[in-house]
């Protein structure tokens, strides 16, 4: 755990390209979640904005 006893914010992503699950984490600016497929390195970016969703798990096609 972090020293502050806080958990890192993440989204769960199923990368359909390689049929693999991975967590992506909040970027340093705090305005999006960013990550890559662990097999093919395909990038994914989920922007945070008003009127968004409270869902934590997604599929990247």
């Amino acid at each position: 755990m972090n020293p502050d006893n806080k958990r890192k914010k993440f989204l769960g992503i199923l990368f359909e390209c390689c049929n693999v699950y991975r967590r992506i984490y909040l970027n340093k600016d705090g305005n999006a979640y960013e990550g890559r497929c662990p097999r093919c390195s395909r990038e994914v970016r989920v922007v945070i904005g008003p009127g968004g969703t409270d869902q934590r798990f997604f599929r990247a096609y």
Side-chain angles (χ1 to χ4, degrees), residues 20 23-24 27 46:
V20 64
R23 289 180 175 185
I24 62 170
N27 66 10
V46 180

Side-chain angles (χ1 to χ4, degrees), residues 4-51:
D4 301 346
N5 203 21
K6 294 181 183 176
R7 296 177 132 177
K8 283 183 95 173
K9 294 183 178 183
F10 70 89
L11 296 179
I13 302 289
L14 176 61
F15 287 92
E16 295 284 344
C17 51
C18 296
N19 196 33
V20 64
Y21 168 84
R22 171 158 253 185
R23 289 180 175 185
I24 62 170
Y25 293 93
L26 191 62
N27 66 10
K28 66 177 181 159
D29 297 328
N31 60 3
Y33 291 86
E34 299 175 335
R36 292 180 178 266
C37 174
R39 291 194 182 153
C40 70
S41 297
R42 180 176 167 227
E43 292 182 30
V44 66
R45 184 169 195 261
V46 180
V47 179
I48 299 169

